[in-house]
Amino acid sequence: MIPNFRFMANSEKHSITLQVNGHPYQLELLPWVSLLDALRENISLTGTKKGCDHGQCGACTVLIDGKRKLSCLTLAVMQEDVAITTIEGIAAEGNLHPLQQAFIDKDAFQCGYCTPGQICSAIGLLNENKANTREEVQDLMSGNLCRCGANKGIINAVMAVKQSISHE
Amino acid sequence: MNNFSFTKALDMDTAISLTSGNDHNKLIAGGTNIIDLLKYFITEADTLVDINSIPGISKIAENETGGIRIGALVTNADTAYHAIIEEKYPLLSKAILAGASAQIRNMATNGGNLLQRTRCYYFYDIHTPCNKREPGSGCSAIQGYNRIHAILGHSESCIAVFPSDMCVALSVLDAVVHISGPEEERNVAFSDFHRLPGDTPESDNNLKRGELITAIDLPEKGFSKYYSYLKLRDRASYSFALVSVATGLDLENGLIKEARIALGGVSPKPWRVKEAEDFLKGKEPKIANFEATAQMILKGAKGFEHNRFKIELAKKAIVRNCMMALDPTSQRAGAKPSL
Ligand SMILES: Cc1cc2nc3c(=O)[nH]c(=O)nc-3n(C[C@H](O)[C@H](O)[C@H](O)COP(=O)(O)OP(=O)(O)OC[C@H]3O[C@@H](n4cnc5c(N)ncnc54)[C@H](O)[C@@H]3O)c2cc1C
Ligand code: SF4
Ligand code: FES
Ligand code: FES
C-alpha cells in the first residue's frame, strides 16, 4: 500500500548529461530517478546491481571522480559534471582490471551479484590508500555485503592487488 | 518517493527562502538519509533543494579562536582524513570512521550527519503508530521490540535514540554549530543543538524552519593525547551503535586534570553528565574511579523489555573506553574494543 502521498503536478523532466565511463549520455529524467536506476534503466549499464536500494548492501557502488559512492542514495540530476565509472568501465582495452583478475584467481565470488560493487569499492579503497593491515581492509570493505559468504576470498583478492601495487 | 520538483540553490539566501516559505521544501546535501526517508514515504517533499553548490561552506580551516571550523558540506570522509583533524582531533576522526561505510562517508556531509533521523524500526514502518513521524499516533516501541532504544533521556511519548557516531565526539569536543536563517545568524553550543523528546518528539533538534547549518566549530582543546572511541554493536562493522562511548582525558602529573565522556546509542542526544566528569578531577586514572564515574553517568537509566542489557553494557563500555584512552595507539579499526 502506498499512502496518500504528496503529488506535484508540475514535476518536470530535467535535461541532463551524465559522463559515464568516459561517454556523455544525454537524458531526460524525472528528478526522483536515482543514479542507480538511470544507469540501469536509461543507459542500460546493468553491471551495477540493486541489492537493497537503501544504502545497506553496497551492491550499487560506483566510482564518482574516483571515490566509491552508493548510486542508490543519490539522484541522477545531482551527478552532472562528474566522472562516473561503473564496473563496465574499469578494464583497459580488453584486459581485465587487476582486481577483476584477482577476484577470479582468489575465488572471490559465488553467485557474483555483489561482485561489481565489491570491485568498484576495492578500487576506491586502493585510491584512498588508508588501509594498511588485513583488519583495516576488512573494516574498510565492510560496506559491501556478500550473501554467499565469499568474504574471505574477496579480502584475499584485495590484499593480493594491494601488495602487488606496493611492490611496484 | 513522492513526486517532487528539484532545484539547485546556488547561494545561501535562495536555499533559506525556499525552505522558510514552505515546510515541504527540503534541503538535500549528501542524500544518504533524506533519499532513504523519501523512498519509505517517511519524508515527503514539494521541492528538493540541492545545497551542494552553495559556496563557502565546504572547507576546513582555522577559526578566529585558535580552533578549527569544519564546513557543513565537507564530507564525513574528508573530515575524518583531514590532516588537521587527524592530528588535533583524532577522537573525531575515529568516531566518524566507526559510522556507516566508506561509501556512505564519502557522500554524507557534516551538516547532514547532525540532522540524520532515528533508526527506530517503527519510525521506519509507516503502517505503525509513531509519535515522532506522526505526532499523537502513539509510540509502538515502548511495548514493542525495543532492543535498539533509549535508556536515558526518553519520555512517555518516544524512546528513540539519536544514531550518530560523529556527534558523540562533537559532544565531547564542546563543538559549536553555526546556523544561518531567515533572521540573524546564530551559534549554538553542541549540547543545546539536539533536544530531548518530551511531548514533542517530532523535533529532534532546535533548528528552526528555514535555517541552515553552515559550519561546526571545534574549540582549540582536542584531547589529542588521551582519547578513545568505542562502539559496540550487533556486527563488527556497518551497523549502528547499541552503545558507544567517546572519552577525552587531560592528565597532569599522573592525575586527571579534565575528563569528558559522552555516550551514544542510548539516548535521544549524545549523553554527558557534568558531575560524573567533575568527579574524576584530581583522581588517578584507574578502573575503580572510572567505575564510580560510570555509575554516576547511568544514574536514573531506565530500560525496557528488550534493552535493559544496555545499562550494564554502557557502564562497562565507559570503564573500558577510559582505559583505552590512556593508550590511544591500541585502538583498532572500526572502534572495536582493545586493551
Ligand atoms: C546503511 C546506513 C548506515 C549508516 N550507519 C551509520 C552509523 O553507523 N553511524 C552514523 O553516525 N551514521 C550512519 N549512517 C547515517 C549517515 O551518517 C547519515 O545518513 C549522513 O551523515 C547524513 O548526511 P547527508 O549529507 O547524506 O544528509 P542528507 O540525507 O542530504 O540530509 C539529511 C537531513 O539534513 C538536512 N540537511 C543536510 N544538510 C543540511 C544543512 N547544511 N543545513 C540544514 N539542513 C541540512 C536535510 O534537509 C535532511 O533533512 C548510516 C546511513 C546508512 C544509509
Ligand atoms: S520510539 Fe519514537 S520513533 Fe520509535 S515508535 Fe516510538 S515515537 Fe516513534
Ligand atoms: S543497492 Fe545501494 S546499497 Fe544496496
Ligand atoms: S558472490 Fe553472491 S552475494 Fe557475493
Side-chain angles (χ1 to χ4, degrees), chain A residues 36 48-61 69-73 113 143-144, chain B residues 39 101 103-104 238:
Chain A
L36 173 60
T48 308
K49 301 300 181 208
K50 183 183 286 192
C52 64
D53 211 21
H54 289 282
Q56 301 185 356
C57 75
C60 66
T61 304
K69 297 192 178 180
L70 299 178
S71 59
C72 73
L73 286 187
Y113 198 81
N144 294 80
Chain B
K39 285 183 180 183
S101 68
Q103 291 95 316
I104 293 169
Y238 200 13

Side-chain angles (χ1 to χ4, degrees), chain A residues 21-92:
Chain A
N21 302 330
H23 301 287
Y25 293 90
Q26 286 186 344
L27 305 168
E28 299 279 319
L29 290 180
L30 286 160
W32 51 85
V33 176
S34 67
L35 175 61
L36 173 60
D37 285 343
L39 291 170
R40 290 181 55 85
E41 309 293 332
N42 300 83
I43 308 183
S44 298
L45 289 172
T46 54
T48 308
K49 301 300 181 208
K50 183 183 286 192
C52 64
D53 211 21
H54 289 282
Q56 301 185 356
C57 75
C60 66
T61 304
V62 297
L63 295 159
I64 298 182
D65 288 339
K67 292 190 175 175
R68 43 180 169 164
K69 297 192 178 180
L70 299 178
S71 59
C72 73
L73 286 187
T74 187
L75 303 174
V77 289
M78 293 172 72
Q79 300 301 336
E80 283 192 285
D81 311 318
V82 290
I84 300 162
T85 308
T86 68
I87 190 72
E88 291 92 343
I90 63 165

Side-chain angles (χ1 to χ4, degrees), chain A residues 108-115 118 145-151 154:
Chain A
F109 51 88
Q110 291 177 38
C111 78
Y113 198 81
C114 71
T115 313
Q118 299 277 7
L145 306 189
C146 175
R147 282 295 310 263
C148 297
N151 305 69
I154 293 167

Side-chain angles (χ1 to χ4, degrees), chain A residues 54-57 70 73, chain B residues 26-37 51 57 72-73 76 95 98-101 104 107-117 119 163-167 207 211-214 231 233 238-241:
Chain A
H54 289 282
Q56 301 185 356
C57 75
L70 299 178
L73 286 187
Chain B
K26 306 281 184 194
L27 304 181
I28 181 166
T32 62
N33 193 218
I34 196 164
I35 291 183
D36 194 31
L37 296 170
I51 59 173
I57 55 173
L73 286 178
N76 287 178
S101 68
I104 293 169
M107 307 170 77
T109 64
N110 295 328
N113 195 303
L114 268 60
L115 298 171
Q116 62 177 299
R117 310 231 45 205
R119 294 278 159 171
S164 166
D165 290 294
M166 176 181 190
C167 290
L207 205 65
E211 284 188 328
L212 193 141
I213 298 175
T214 55
K231 181 171 179 183
R233 40 189 157 173
Y238 200 13
S239 69
F240 288 91

